[in-house]
Amino acid sequence: MASLGRLHRLLRLAGPDQPIWVDAISINQSDAQELQDLLGIMGSIYANAQHVGVLLPPRDVIIADILDVLCDMARLLLKFEYTIFGARVHIGSLPAHLGNEFFQQSQPLMEKVRSVQCLAATVDTQDDVFGHDSMTKEERRLGLVCHSFFELLKIFQSKTETAEYWSRAWTFQEWSLARDISLAAESPTDGPIRPILTGVKQLILRAATMLCEYTLSLGQYALWFGFSRGTAPVLFASVRSLFPSEELFTYYGEIDRHLQKRQAAFTSTNGCHSLLRLRPRPYPPESAVVTRQRRLCLMLNSLDVTKRRARYVADLVACWASMCDLQYPYDRDDSLDLATFKAVTALRNAGIRVFNFQCGGGVGLTGVDYWFLRYTVETVQRNRRDSPVVPGAPAWTGRVDTIQHYQMALSLPDHACERYQVSHAPWRYIEGARVERIVPCSNPNHVDAMPFIRSLDGPFQRVEQSVWWSAAETISRYLNSDKFTFVEQAALDGHSLVVVTIPASAAPPRRGVPYDFSSFQAWAICPNYFLKHREKLFVAREGINGTLVLCLIDGTPEGGGKFATLAYLVISDHKCGSFLIATDKTGRIEIRLEEQLRSDISISGSEPTELGPFLTQEPHSDLPWLFARYLGPGKCTSATEMEPNAFHDYLFEAKVSFIGNEFSL
């Protein structure tokens, strides 16, 4: 503890007659065993705390001011939770007495916004220019306050990127795991602390949830808050990352994807809790693995909001691993690579599947993704105009935005390839797999060689391209941008796009048809240094997750040959992103291609494009009325007759063959 005065301020924040936990003095920092034991239960300490107080340092006073205004806005909006938002008041129908009441009560709030220096110039408080012409003065004011609420959240997020408190590694778990937070800021003059803000987390989450639910439920009839119902889930995703709550939010494994699609299509009749990832109550019983998985997914999705720092780099791993009560041999002197390896190994031993997209960074540390933390954050689909959030972070689902994956692969240093490693997991050669072409990334047209499962061509090309761009076209646009550097030119000069053809059997017997021999293509970005000897490249199934990888070998496995894992292979689809190619022990591949639906854009009833031998459509037999509406009256009589599927879900199914026996290197 830096000073007795700070301890006194913390005690005041906690309140009288309360047993308290203060990390700095409650843990004997010089006792390695006590440190390791207590780090393993930090998640339980913060998650079960009745009260968590946060004392911001003096340089973060401006963030306390922003949160103060946000809490005042939330309290004002929640006063009208049942009379306006819960009553689903339409645009143009706000009762006069409620409009006047809100207008009068919001006047001091608008003045408070103008008094905060960083807000006065960035938040518009003039309601006479906000909204539609059909809105009354009172409706404009209500819409302006709601719009300002979300604008303030964006400002809060931008300020946390440079804030001292949000840069510390160990503050992450107290902010993330606390059910609610009381907050104050120290005075820059070492005087008394500023007024304490109570219920910060719950106030903001309740208000944000209420506004998004209202917008989604009423759609075009809702009062205008500055965003449409289609962007509400994307906007709410940023709120989830700023104020994570394992009690309130679900993780990707709990999402009912059929219900989510129904809610996207018809929110007014199906609700929107699945769209916003809200947990239904009462909470169903669950295993310890599911509880840990939810906490891990929700919290790591928030960790990357700001760049964290610590006195010991091993603490950059311990700060999130301890949240999950993860027991592993912590050593503050570990390198970042070694600490990550220990934590990821403990996760896998606990039954959690962790996918790798890039090779590891440490000598002897196979199975660790170089960009592990970056792949634990949910990605947005950058070749869609509305940038929807793809459910589930890539590390847990094996699915990633194509543009992000391309960028991350080119940001990987050469030394990250797992050269000459020893792996005790069994590996298998893929029969007949071959390198089809190698195109230097320095070639401006190299992205045109990138293979995709489906094209955007077809009868509804015009409609589809109003929502999607080609992923290759998007990458080219980023590479040619003069506004920012997407990828360094040196990285392009040092890497190549490798396209691999993989023989496979299509149309598996469970579909009632015989096997049909064919092939599909996958790709990866690899350093040129390892591509000089094309004849030494081969494709294998790695033994940790069963994904297909591109390898380089000197000699043979039986003769003790050395090898390097160059890259994890992916298959890509313009509409659904890129997927690792995970196989079971028999070589079977099953990848679900799901498009993210937007509530205010419906694309359905189109003729299917050429699917090829590996794609089949999934029928949604529980939605006959929905299909009848999309395809038109009289077009079909039952759900099983409906082709194509209005929700555009496909399965990529194939089976690869292995050659030779399992081997370990």
Side-chain angles (χ1 to χ4, degrees):
M1 184 58 60
S3 68
L4 188 61
R6 177 168 293 180
L7 177 60
H8 174 74
R9 291 189 284 272
L10 281 170
L11 293 174
R12 181 188 163 195
L13 186 62
D17 303 323
Q18 293 287 338
I20 65 170
W21 171 277
V22 182
D23 286 350
I25 57 178
S26 298
I27 301 177
N28 183 356
Q29 304 288 330
S30 61
D31 188 329
Q33 187 59 48
E34 178 179 334
L35 192 62
Q36 180 170 322
D37 292 343
L38 289 176
L39 284 179
I41 59 172
M42 289 301 294
S44 297
I45 291 174
Y46 280 108
N48 295 317
Q50 294 182 357
H51 178 89
V52 174
V54 171
L55 183 62
L56 297 181
R59 61 174 291 186
D60 293 344
V61 166
I62 188 62
I63 294 184
D65 291 338
I66 295 172
L67 289 172
D68 186 18
V69 176
L70 275 168
C71 288
D72 284 348
M73 280 187 174
R75 291 189 189 94
L76 174 62
L77 293 169
L78 289 168
K79 284 183 181 180
F80 298 87
E81 181 176 7
Y82 302 106
T83 54
I84 295 180
F85 303 104
R88 301 294 188 257
V89 172
H90 290 201
I91 188 170
S93 63
L94 179 65
H97 69 285
L98 290 176
N100 289 329
E101 183 182 355
F102 185 88
F103 192 92
Q104 295 301 322
Q105 293 188 28
S106 64
Q107 286 288 82
L109 184 59
M110 293 292 99
E111 292 298 327
K112 190 170 186 177
V113 172
R114 297 184 190 105
S115 68
V116 179
Q117 185 176 0
C118 75
L119 304 182
T122 54
V123 178
D124 189 0
T125 56
Q126 302 300 317
D127 46 37
D128 57 337
V129 295
F130 182 82
H132 303 308
D133 293 339
S134 59
M135 295 171 65
T136 65
K137 180 183 73 170
E138 291 75 17
E139 289 175 343
R140 288 174 184 270
R141 170 58 62 86
L142 177 59
L144 178 62
V145 172
C146 297
H147 173 71
S148 300
F149 178 78
F150 286 104
E151 289 300 304
L152 280 174
L153 284 172
K154 294 177 184 177
I155 295 173
F156 167 70
Q157 181 173 358
S158 67
K159 293 294 182 182
T160 59
E161 293 174 0
T162 56
E164 181 180 343
Y165 174 83
W166 276 267
S167 69
R168 298 173 186 165
W170 288 108
T171 61
F172 171 64
Q173 51 188 303
E174 63 195 47
W175 183 268
S176 301
L177 290 177
R179 292 188 179 95
D180 209 348
I181 285 174
S182 294
L183 180 141
E186 293 185 274
S187 171
T189 59
D190 202 30
I193 63 174
R194 295 160 66 89
I196 297 174
L197 307 178
T198 59
V200 173
K201 199 170 182 178
Q202 290 299 321
L203 271 173
I204 293 174
L205 285 175
R206 278 185 60 198
T209 303
M210 177 185 70
L211 296 180
C212 288
E213 284 183 332
Y214 168 82
T215 301
L216 282 166
S217 297
L218 288 186
Q220 67 267 35
Y221 303 108
L223 295 164
W224 178 247
F225 298 158
F227 59 90
S228 71
R229 60 175 172 170
T231 57
V234 180
L235 195 61
F236 195 73
S238 65
V239 179
R240 288 200 309 268
S241 64
L242 289 172
F243 301 93
S245 170
E246 59 182 339
E247 286 189 338
L248 184 59
F249 303 131
T250 62
Y251 81 108
Y252 76 93
E254 298 172 303
I255 297 173
D256 183 334
R257 62 189 183 88
H258 289 178
L259 175 60
Q260 190 177 59
K261 291 176 183 295
R262 287 200 300 271
Q263 291 183 350
F266 300 106
T267 308
S268 59
T269 55
N270 289 285
C272 58
H273 68 274
S274 189
L275 275 179
L276 298 179
R277 312 268 199 93
L278 300 173
R279 289 184 72 189
R281 297 189 180 186
Y283 303 141
E286 60 187 21
S287 66
V289 173
V290 172
T291 301
R292 176 175 285 166
Q293 181 91 49
R294 180 191 304 106
R295 179 175 295 179
L296 187 71
C297 294
L298 293 176
M299 303 311 165
L300 281 182
N301 192 53
S302 301
L303 180 62
D304 200 48
V305 171
T306 58
K307 185 175 178 59
R308 304 278 171 169
R309 56 180 173 79
R311 178 181 303 177
Y312 303 99
V313 293
D315 287 349
L316 295 175
V317 175
C319 72
W320 60 263
S322 62
M323 280 193 325
C324 305
D325 295 342
L326 196 63
Q327 298 287 348
Y328 73 99
Y330 167 80
D331 187 337
R332 63 172 47 165
D333 295 323
D334 283 343
S335 66
L336 184 61
D337 291 331
L338 181 56
T340 304
F341 173 77
K342 289 180 177 180
V344 171
T345 301
L347 285 175
R348 287 177 171 143
N349 291 339
I352 295 176
R353 194 176 192 182
V354 183
F355 286 105
N356 297 329
F357 281 83
Q358 308 294 345
C359 295
V363 176
L365 306 180
T366 56
V368 179
D369 200 318
Y370 186 85
W371 295 118
F372 170 71
L373 284 180
R374 297 288 296 274
Y375 280 104
T376 59
V377 179
E378 291 184 339
T379 62
V380 297
Q381 194 168 342
R382 287 197 258 181
N383 64 314
R384 259 186 61 163
R385 295 182 187 277
D386 57 322
S387 300
V389 178
V390 180
W396 321 126
T397 64
R399 175 185 180 181
V400 67
D401 172 60
T402 302
I403 291 84
Q404 176 180 332
H405 181 60
Y406 172 88
Q407 184 181 29
M408 298 296 292
L410 281 168
S411 303
L412 194 70
D414 289 351
H415 67 76
C417 291
E418 294 173 351
R419 306 177 204 168
Y420 313 135
Q421 304 295 312
V422 175
S423 172
H424 300 291
W427 288 56
R428 300 293 302 272
Y429 280 116
I430 304 301
E431 183 178 11
R434 66 185 185 276
V435 174
E436 191 69 32
R437 55 187 175 273
I438 299 176
V439 185
C441 292
S442 56
N443 182 339
N445 299 319
H446 72 279
V447 292
D448 295 334
M450 193 178 292
F452 289 90
I453 300 173
R454 297 178 295 172
S455 71
L456 292 179
D457 300 327
F460 282 72
Q461 179 180 11
R462 181 182 60 81
V463 178
E464 291 182 337
Q465 290 192 345
S466 68
V467 181
W468 289 275
W469 296 293
S470 155
E473 173 192 343
T474 306
I475 293 173
S476 296
R477 190 168 63 249
Y478 280 144
L479 288 173
N480 296 323
S481 173
D482 55 1
K483 296 180 180 179
F484 60 92
T485 302
F486 179 61
V487 174
E488 296 291 342
Q489 184 59 46
L492 292 171
D493 295 338
H495 291 78
S496 291
L497 170 71
V498 181
V499 178
V500 176
T501 297
I502 301 173
S505 302
R510 71 181 182 87
R511 295 279 177 182
V513 291
Y515 276 105
D516 176 34
F517 185 77
S518 187
S519 63
F520 65 90
Q521 290 189 328
W523 65 275
I525 300 291
C526 299
N528 292 335
Y529 177 82
F530 294 102
L531 302 177
K532 297 177 181 178
H533 303 286
R534 186 166 175 168
E535 71 280 0
K536 296 182 179 181
L537 300 176
F538 70 98
V539 176
R541 176 188 186 269
E542 53 87 11
I544 297 176
N545 289 308
T547 54
L548 301 189
V549 294
L550 181 66
C551 297
L552 172 72
I553 191 165
D554 268 333
T556 62
E558 296 79 5
K562 297 179 179 180
F563 88 106
T565 307
L566 300 186
Y568 290 80
L569 294 168
V570 296
I571 58 173
S572 297
D573 181 73
H574 287 293
K575 298 181 182 180
C576 302
S578 293
F579 300 82
L580 293 172
I581 310 168
T583 72
D584 63 16
K585 292 184 178 180
T586 67
R588 181 177 176 78
I589 301 167
E590 184 173 302
I591 297 173
R592 191 181 306 280
L593 305 181
E594 293 182 85
E595 299 172 20
Q596 296 301 108
L597 291 190
R598 175 171 165 163
S599 297
D600 53 356
I601 298 178
S602 295
I603 299 176
S604 41
S606 61
E607 294 297 325
T609 57
E610 180 62 36
L611 301 181
F614 299 109
L615 288 180
T616 56
Q617 288 186 304
E618 284 197 287
H620 292 254
S621 58
D622 57 338
L623 299 172
W625 176 79
L626 175 61
F627 280 95
R629 169 170 177 167
Y630 273 113
L631 298 179
K635 294 287 185 67
C636 52
T637 58
S638 68
T640 56
E641 296 175 11
M642 296 168 189
E643 286 290 344
N645 168 358
F647 282 159
H648 301 289
D649 280 359
Y650 297 92
L651 279 178
F652 178 92
E653 298 176 287
K655 187 174 186 294
V656 297
S657 299
F658 302 123
I659 184 172
N661 298 320
E662 294 181 346
F663 62 90
S664 297
L665 297 177

